[in-house]
Amino acid sequence: MLMATLAAPTFLFSRTQLEGRSSISSNSHILDKRSSKRLHCQLKQCLMNGILSGEIQASHSSYASLLKECAKLSTLSETKALHTQIIKLGLSESNTILANHLVNAYVKCQSVSEARQVFDNIPQRNVVSWTAMISGYAQNGYNVEAIVLFCAMLEAGMKPNTFTLGSVLSATARRGDIEQGRLAHGYIIKTGFQWDACVGNALCTMFVKCGSMVSARQVFDKMPERNVISWTAMCTGYVESGDIGQAFNIFRLMQLSGIKPNQFTFTSVLSVCGCFSVGEPGKQIHACIIKTGFEQTVPVDNAILDMYAKCGKIEDARKMFDGMPKRNLVSWNAIIAGYSQAEDCLKETLKLLEEMQLAGMKPDLFTFASVLSSCATGVSLEQGKQIHLSTIKAGVESDVAVGSALITMYSKCGSIDDANRVFGHMIDRNVVSWTAMIIGYAQHGYAQEALACFQEMEQAGVKPNHITYIGVLSACSHAGLVDDGKNYFNSMTKDHGILPSMDHYACMVDLYGRAGRFNEAMGILKRMPFEPGALVWRTLLGACRIHGEMEAGKYAAEKLLELEPEDAATYVLLSNMYASAGRWSDAVNIRKMMRNNAIVKEPGQSWIEVKNKVHAFVARDGSHPQTEKIYAMLEKLRMQLKGAGYVPDTNFVLHDMEEELKESILWHHSERLAIAFGLISIPSGTPIRIVKNLRVCGDCHTATKFISKIVGREIVVRDANRFHHFKDGLCSCSDYW
Ligand code: ZN
Ligand code: ZN
């Protein structure tokens, strides 16, 4: 057998081969480096093959060198093969250095238990053996094991080195174990290691990660030598603990001391500014980046952009975005997410999506998640359909998150059929998708479908969450299924361990209130483990209005006004209740209260989308270019409705005025103008979709039912509370909303 080491490679290549190589590589320095590296690799491979096949009997140092290579490349199978050879030759028992290399190679291959076996069999462990094993544990996330082994090392009378301490400190930091950290700190002071730059940095970072900024600062102030890592750790630590002032202090001191912040300093500080929505400090950091002439790489630019977007400073974000010399997917997603969260920016969001695609950038799941969440608050079904098409083009429509967002988007845009179609085509469904569908059905008043969907979900073995139950309970109350609702409410905690929140209690109040069972509704209020919030009182008030339950209604309104004294809707609801009971003076008093408290009722407004354009109407609106045609259509409808037996319910007009005038006020409520416009501009056969900012009034509700029958059209109205599907003279809400 041959004895070989890396120092004597000539047995593999002839002299001329080697010379030939070096003469080629001498032409260029880069080529030289690259080809010598390649040569080196080939030699090692040959050596490895020789050893493993038993053709070459290698020296300790060759094994050591090959194990180092295995550690670098994380090649477990070769490490194991070498290990077998070493055992066969009886090398590991006697040679600590070789065993240390084995430990190191195993931990780098993430094979911690094998490393430990080798470690346990070393008869004479030195500081390198201990350090290799401890850092191996720490690197692989076995933080407790790292700390325990460190303690064993000290007990064995072994003195750690800076690497050992660095590893054990990082393990402590990841555990967030401040007590262990303090013990390590004590040991470090006793042994004088605190003057070492690496240990100081690790100690400081450990205290930051454990959330003790005071201790971190003490270590930091005493450090003889600070590097960019320690400065960055301190800075991030202060921002994370909410001490923005100190963070900036450190940031400034860092620059004064001549240490240049690196990409990580900037990105980490900026990202935290974004998470905490602190725009001003973020802006200052941005200014600092410009002032110091820091090289603006794409990650740094993205961090600035993302910070502005998350802080709601959409104009600054846009300026940043527009000025970026290079943009990647992260940049596009950041700006789109920013716009999708800003108010009234649906158009801009959609424009950006288009520009992104024109720029050759492929939108991904995150892009669509943002865009879809944005159009769920808009009104545009047409645009929603466009986005749906884009998700198909981008090949992400089958993703479960995108599918769920599409369901929510369609159901919020009023098209439960489209939502259902998306749901039906989904290959994977998770709790979010099932819940989106259940909530969609419930909001549209399709209680039976919602409950059937819930049963199907349970059969599919998907565990519901607390939002699913909001859908289920509201479906029960819409359908008047009091007993079912009660059962679901109980099983939520019993079978799924979900504690009811305020929303669930509001659903129960609604369930009993709708059914006119006020004693039970009040019972729920009393049994609630927390103070009823505005939502619960508003729900009760709504139920009282339906059933003309004056006393409970008054009580609910008083409670509601204590919590939300500025809420005009409560005053209006209460005064409407008085008015419909004929108690005019009480109604007038409420109006007076509103005036005295300077509460202004939000004017009713309705929107309709025709050919990608949204048209807005207020009551008695005369501003639309087609006003004449709209009013003519309304007049025609009024005659037809009267003939069909419609009697205006003038209780919904407050003041004690002439009946005829009341009728005319009612007849020109904003939603009727929108419906009339829809009838003259949307081809027949297509449903008319209206969005209203307030609750639909009782008389408009009745009139719309009549209209749907007379013109033979489906009319979908989304008001402040829910959806109404008017069809053939009936509404999906069963006259309760
Ligand atoms: Zn109305
Ligand atoms: Zn309705």
Side-chain angles (χ1 to χ4, degrees), residues 696 701 705 717 722-726 730-737:
V696 172
H701 196 267
K705 283 200 287 187
V717 179
R722 54 168 299 139
F723 281 96
H724 302 265
H725 287 256
F726 296 95
L730 295 170
C731 180
S732 63
C733 76
S734 311
D735 300 335
Y736 186 107
W737 70 100

Side-chain angles (χ1 to χ4, degrees), residues 580-657:
S580 43
R583 287 165 63 171
W584 292 107
S585 59
D586 285 328
V588 168
N589 276 340
I590 298 289
R591 292 277 160 171
K592 261 192 203 148
M593 259 167 80
M594 274 181 89
R595 252 201 315 280
N596 292 343
N597 298 341
I599 287 159
V600 186
K601 180 178 171 268
E602 188 187 355
Q605 212 176 341
S606 297
W607 296 271
I608 181 169
E609 187 193 9
V610 176
K611 293 192 190 91
N612 274 324
K613 200 167 170 272
V614 176
H615 302 254
F617 294 92
V618 293
R620 315 179 82 176
D621 206 326
S623 64
H624 196 274
Q626 301 202 41
T627 296
E628 260 176 52
K629 280 189 186 163
I630 293 168
Y631 278 82
M633 181 52 147
L634 272 175
E635 200 42 45
K636 192 176 134 200
L637 282 174
R638 175 144 78 156
M639 297 333 283
Q640 285 176 317
L641 255 64
K642 279 220 157 136
Y646 157 77
V647 184
D649 183 352
T650 48
N651 277 334
F652 290 95
V653 186
L654 275 176
H655 308 287
D656 222 356
M657 57 174 71

Side-chain angles (χ1 to χ4, degrees), residues 652 665-672 692 695-701 703-704:
F652 290 95
I665 286 173
L666 277 177
W667 194 248
H668 298 123
H669 275 178
S670 64
E671 55 266 57
R672 298 193 208 188
K692 179 159 194 208
R695 255 181 86 260
V696 172
C697 87
D699 189 60
C700 284
H701 196 267
T704 312

Side-chain angles (χ1 to χ4, degrees), residues 10 48 56 269 313 375 446 708:
T10 36
M48 177 80 89
I56 303 172
V269 177
K313 292 183 174 286
C375 50
Y446 298 120
S708 74

Side-chain angles (χ1 to χ4, degrees), residues 407-703:
I407 293 171
T408 304
M409 181 274 293
Y410 274 129
S411 78
K412 286 206 172 158
C413 289
S415 178
I416 198 74
D417 291 342
D418 283 308
N420 192 24
R421 214 166 294 133
V422 171
F423 184 71
H425 285 139
M426 279 176 87
I427 303 158
D428 287 325
R429 293 170 188 157
N430 62 11
V431 60
V432 180
S433 4
W434 284 99
T435 302
M437 198 63 238
I438 292 168
I439 295 263
Y441 278 136
Q443 277 175 340
H444 284 261
Y446 298 120
Q448 298 303 342
E449 285 83 349
L451 295 179
C453 193
F454 180 69
Q455 269 160 17
E456 231 184 286
M457 170 184 174
E458 284 199 310
Q459 276 156 16
V462 178
K463 212 172 140 48
N465 63 20
H466 67 284
I467 306 170
T468 322
Y469 270 102
I470 293 175
V472 169
L473 293 175
S474 63
C476 288
S477 66
H478 287 316
L481 303 169
V482 179
D483 290 333
D484 288 292
K486 234 160 76 181
N487 290 339
Y488 282 123
F489 185 78
N490 292 333
S491 100
M492 176 168 82
T493 311
K494 211 175 67 209
D495 300 334
H496 297 288
I498 303 166
L499 287 179
S501 68
M502 187 76 80
D503 292 327
H504 299 111
Y505 281 105
C507 285
M508 289 310 283
V509 170
D510 191 45
L511 181 75
Y512 287 122
R514 259 168 206 265
R517 289 155 69 162
F518 285 94
N519 284 339
E520 280 150 298
M522 295 305 273
I524 286 280
L525 282 168
K526 283 189 193 117
R527 280 206 307 280
M528 274 172 69
F530 27 71
E531 274 299 304
L535 174 69
V536 177
W537 292 119
R538 193 171 294 121
T539 307
L540 183 64
L541 181 59
C544 293
R545 185 189 59 83
I546 302 289
H547 291 280
E549 180 74 27
M550 287 305 293
E551 286 320 301
K554 220 176 117 193
Y555 181 65
E558 276 165 11
K559 288 284 182 188
L560 194 49
L561 289 176
E562 272 172 29
L563 294 170
E564 291 180 357
E566 308 281 292
D567 186 29
T570 309
Y571 290 97
V572 175
L573 211 61
L574 192 60
S575 79
N576 281 354
M577 265 178 85
Y578 284 130
S580 43
R583 287 165 63 171
W584 292 107
S585 59
D586 285 328
V588 168
N589 276 340
I590 298 289
R591 292 277 160 171
K592 261 192 203 148
M593 259 167 80
M594 274 181 89
R595 252 201 315 280
N596 292 343
N597 298 341
I599 287 159
V600 186
K601 180 178 171 268
E602 188 187 355
Q605 212 176 341
S606 297
W607 296 271
I608 181 169
E609 187 193 9
V610 176
K611 293 192 190 91
N612 274 324
K613 200 167 170 272
V614 176
H615 302 254
F617 294 92
V618 293
R620 315 179 82 176
D621 206 326
S623 64
H624 196 274
Q626 301 202 41
T627 296
E628 260 176 52
K629 280 189 186 163
I630 293 168
Y631 278 82
M633 181 52 147
L634 272 175
E635 200 42 45
K636 192 176 134 200
L637 282 174
R638 175 144 78 156
M639 297 333 283
Q640 285 176 317
L641 255 64
K642 279 220 157 136
Y646 157 77
V647 184
D649 183 352
T650 48
N651 277 334
F652 290 95
V653 186
L654 275 176
H655 308 287
D656 222 356
M657 57 174 71
E658 292 296 317
E659 280 300 312
E660 206 170 315
L661 193 56
K662 278 189 192 174
E663 268 185 57
S664 131
I665 286 173
L666 277 177
W667 194 248
H668 298 123
H669 275 178
S670 64
E671 55 266 57
R672 298 193 208 188
L673 295 174
I675 290 170
F677 178 62
L679 286 173
I680 58 176
S681 50
I682 295 175
S684 59
T686 318
I688 291 170
R689 296 170 204 281
I690 311 281
V691 175
K692 179 159 194 208
N693 61 337
L694 306 176
R695 255 181 86 260
V696 172
C697 87
D699 189 60
C700 284
H701 196 267
T702 312

Side-chain angles (χ1 to χ4, degrees), residues 350 353-354 357 368 371-372 375 380-393 406 409-410 609 612:
L350 296 175
L353 179 66
E354 218 179 287
Q357 286 161 309
F368 285 112
V371 171
L372 285 167
C375 50
S380 169
L381 180 62
E382 276 320 304
Q383 282 162 330
K385 282 188 171 162
Q386 289 296 324
I387 296 159
H388 188 182
L389 262 177
S390 307
T391 65
I392 294 170
K393 272 192 210 143
L406 282 169
M409 181 274 293
Y410 274 129
E609 187 193 9
N612 274 324

